[in-house]
Amino acid sequence: MATDTKIAAPVLISTNPATGETVGTYSCTSVDEVHEAVDIARRAQPAWAALGVQKRVAIIRRFRKLLNQQAGEVAELITREAGKPIPEAMGAEILVVQDAAEFVARHAAEILQPQPVPHSNPAMKTKRGTLHHEPHGVIGIISPWNYPFSIPSTETLAALVLGNAVVLKPSELTPACALKLQSLLHEAGVPKEIMQVVLGEGPVGAALIDSKIDKIIFTGSVATGRRVSVAAAQKLLPCVLELGGKDPFIVFDDADLDVASSGAVWGAFMNAGQTCLSVERCYVQRSVFEKFVNMCVKKAQALKVGDGFDRDTDVGPMIDTRQLRIVESQVADALDKGAKVLTGGERLTQLGPNFYAPTVLTNVTPDMKLMREETFGPLLPVIPFDTDEQAISMANESEFGLAASVWTNSRSRGEAVAGKIEAGTVMVNDAISGFGICEAPHGGFKASGIGRTHGLLGMQEMVRVRYVDVDRVVMKKPWWYGYKGMYREQIHGFADMMFGHSPAKRIKGALNSTKILTRPKL
Ligand code: NDP
């Protein structure tokens, strides 16, 4: 049976949340070893950057091929360590990584390509500006347990292909998945110094931020994200924060209710509700509320909860009892305040300590914890609304802004509402799958984070930009010292030329500015 606590320092004991069996026992990395790992990565990184983008792309494609060959084995490891059903391990972890590997391989050269910066200002026409993109150096990555393979992989692949070294600190609950990623990358040809995993609890993550990394990419809860952000700010260390969500799911009266209710049930319960993009608040137009809720209840009751290895399982265990207790406390709070559980609402102790029944609730009010705090468990609270404006306002009534989904048969209605929702991703007639679209940037508004992973925006987080400006005509500039002369009078004419509204003003300004460019010798 799984236990409450999966860690026994100074070793990590990774356990199967469905059975409590040990997946592996791993030594923790000491603070000194974290610093040493970063120093090693720092020394090795220039050679990795100098290798050239095409050779790195070839290594990433080799990694992809190895992952293809070992997909079954990796999926089983994910299920063993994180509990999710095998189809979820395949679909939401391995396929996502394969897609991301090909995406970063295809776009790496274009991201690193110098880009000309044309100058519109006539006084700058003799110059040529260019943006040069280069790797930051060593990227620290701190990742959570809920997608123990796809989250660290997508971030690591983007960092590596662009010439960075990576030091990865996975969740203490899922070290085996991170070590598998490391071994696949090494086998593909990434030097050992360039991709290293450090293991341990929070202090190991804190040590990584304290080390000589050049950027931190953090994925986790808002509470830890705040701590990471403060620690990074002390060092002025750039950071990307991918934090929690409380994602709304809005169903309009013209939606296909069968499709929408299946989407809500999957979106709320997949990975046992432990997805940052989970459906956490479901708002349904009053005229279809009852019908929609009945459909959800029926579909939730049809789900089979069990071990992720079982072919019939739809919903696996939660990661541990600590996480399950958060769900229990939110349900208790909601019941105290008048909520109604229509199905579920209890632990399935006959299966083990970490299983919780898919739960649908109504009579839910905004003051309940399950409407304000991230649940990270299989709860689907459903609330009625009357008008589009009301739905938008309820959806935006949250400190989070990770993602949202809108269900309607009217494309214009869907797009109009999407444009008013405060979230980094809004999906119309789908939920969650934005994470699996390799082109789509992933990240949140408000407390859900800063910056982006995935897509071209995610790749751009992995490079720093140097602007180089070359003046092809070596001459003294008219705006250098000599302020008493013509420049003082003519600067206004120059501004007119640049920003004047009437063509006549622009011509007059241009004539004046020509005089500026032929200023007297000083
Ligand atoms: P946590 O915030 O508890 O932990 C995230 C990572 O940070 C873990 O590796 C953890 O290590 C580490 N950590 C803990 N303390 C510190 C510290 N002081 N300094 C540096 N690192 C530290 O999140 P969970 O692992 O519980 O993951 C669930 C959360 O992640 C949810 O809130 C979820 O919404 C969010 N998430 C966000 C995603 C997004 O893309 N926006 C995607 C997936 C999840 P350890 O585990 O060893 O304590």
Side-chain angles (χ1 to χ4, degrees), residues 5-57:
T5 310
K6 294 183 100 194
I7 180 162
V11 291
L12 293 183
I13 302 172
S14 162
T15 56
N16 180 331
T19 63
E21 282 160 358
T22 298
V23 175
T25 303
Y26 309 93
S27 301
C28 290
T29 312
S30 69
V31 167
D32 285 348
E33 286 166 342
V34 172
H35 286 269
E36 205 180 311
V38 173
D39 290 343
I40 289 169
R42 177 166 288 290
R43 284 195 294 275
Q45 186 270 334
W48 176 244
L51 189 66
V53 66
Q54 292 313 334
K55 287 194 176 138
R56 292 195 301 270
V57 161

Side-chain angles (χ1 to χ4, degrees), residues 144-387:
W145 47 264
N146 63 332
Y147 286 84
F149 191 73
S150 62
I151 290 175
S153 299
T154 51
E155 295 167 359
T156 299
L157 291 169
L160 290 177
V161 79
L162 293 168
N164 298 283
V166 168
V167 178
L168 164 66
K169 199 305 253 180
S171 165
E172 83 213 31
L173 302 177
T174 52
C177 289
L179 291 170
K180 184 66 195 172
L181 167 65
Q182 177 183 246
S183 80
L184 284 168
L185 285 166
H186 290 171
E187 198 181 336
V190 176
K192 290 197 165 40
E193 303 79 12
I194 292 296
M195 200 280 161
Q196 300 173 68
V197 172
V198 291
L199 295 179
E201 298 180 69
V204 173
L208 184 57
I209 296 164
D210 190 41
S211 73
K212 289 188 188 140
I213 54 171
D214 298 287
K215 185 157 185 172
I216 184 79
I217 313 288
F218 172 84
T219 309
S221 62
V222 171
T224 314
R226 280 210 172 92
R227 281 201 291 279
V228 166
S229 176
V230 168
Q234 293 287 352
K235 298 178 64 187
L236 295 179
L237 178 71
C239 61
V240 170
L241 302 172
E242 291 287 3
L243 309 179
K246 191 77 202 162
D247 294 358
F249 183 102
I250 300 172
V251 184
F252 287 113
D253 50 6
D254 62 346
D256 181 323
L257 294 188
D258 178 36
V259 177
S261 56
S262 293
V265 164
W266 181 75
F269 304 142
M270 71 99 55
N271 202 24
Q274 305 166 116
T275 299
C276 54
L277 302 168
S278 272
V279 175
E280 295 239 337
R281 298 176 287 147
C282 182
Y283 300 102
V284 183
Q285 201 142 23
R286 201 174 299 276
S287 55
V288 295
F289 181 79
E290 206 179 320
K291 192 171 173 196
F292 181 85
V293 169
N294 288 338
M295 286 174 154
C296 288
V297 169
K298 223 166 138 190
K299 289 173 186 181
Q301 286 170 343
L303 296 175
K304 167 100 172 16
V305 182
D307 189 324
F309 278 102
D310 187 335
R311 285 186 80 85
D312 296 335
T313 293
D314 299 299
V315 181
M318 301 196 61
I319 191 74
D320 61 11
T321 317
R322 191 180 62 90
Q323 194 63 38
L324 186 141
R325 286 207 192 106
I326 295 172
V327 176
E328 284 183 329
S329 77
Q330 288 196 2
V331 171
D333 170 77
L335 289 174
D336 271 358
K337 291 174 179 154
K340 217 165 125 189
V341 168
L342 301 184
T343 186
E346 59 184 357
R347 259 190 224 213
L348 301 173
T349 41
Q350 67 279 19
L351 298 174
N354 298 332
F355 293 89
Y356 197 88
T359 300
V360 180
L361 305 102
T362 53
N363 283 15
V364 174
T365 49
D367 59 319
M368 295 174 181
K369 279 187 190 168
L370 56 72
M371 290 300 287
R372 289 185 285 111
E373 297 169 12
E374 188 178 38
T375 301
F376 237 52
L379 302 188
L380 179 63
V382 198
I383 304 108
F385 68 86
D386 293 300
T387 64

